[in-house]
Amino acid sequence: MEHPPSLLILGIPIMFVVLRKHSTTSNKPLELVSYTTNGLFFTQAKYAHDILASAGLLDAKPALTPLSKSTQFTSYGDPFSDPTFYRSLVGVLQYLIISRPDLLDAVNQVSQFLHVPTKNHFQAVKRILWYVKGILSFGLTFQRSHAHSLVACSDADWARCIETRRSMYGYSIFLGGNIVSWTTKKQLLRLCARQ
């Protein structure tokens, strides 16, 4: 399955080419770092494959996005029967973010419910894994560049959390067209307007 290479911050595509599919003609498994004629290609394809195997989702149908646009997270709902399994899956997904900034927001969302996950939260984790299934051979490309421009992009969704009314914000920083830093966080304080 071929996806358009782009970066998603808070579910919104940012117009920088970051994720690329590894083009190889050999049958050997993808390495963590591959040297190409243009620079470096960094992937965690084997790690992602192992995550899918441990979750029993190797035969699952791939999803096009990590979360659906209409997904709303609350702490209410039927408790998930195996919270330890939920925590372990979210933990390994947090490590996968190193080479997959497109997962950042989705994993951040599901990791906020580690204490008492619900069945809906587990469905969201499965949806993230279905997305990972579709982009196993994708990774980060660091290209040689003579341009040393520094570009930063940020995004926020105002009062996304329907329980706390706190906002989520994220940013990515590019140096010479290569991503060097990215994050997404929940606002610490809730600001209220007074009349």
Side-chain angles (χ1 to χ4, degrees), residues 122-153:
F122 184 66
Q123 281 302 116
V125 169
K126 284 182 16 181
R127 169 75 184 244
I128 295 168
L129 292 171
W130 296 336
Y131 174 72
V132 168
K133 168 94 163 80
I135 60 165
L136 274 176
S137 60
F138 280 52
L140 291 175
T141 300
F142 296 97
Q143 297 179 342
R144 293 184 183 123
S145 175
H146 298 292
H148 298 293
S149 59
L150 185 65
V151 177
C153 302

Side-chain angles (χ1 to χ4, degrees), residues 27-55:
N27 292 330
K28 74 178 189 175
L30 292 175
E31 301 159 356
L32 187 60
V33 177
S34 301
Y35 296 94
T36 66
T37 56
N38 295 333
L40 298 173
F41 179 76
F42 178 65
T43 185
Q44 291 177 295
K46 182 182 179 331
Y47 182 68
H49 182 273
D50 293 346
I51 294 170
L52 291 169
S54 70

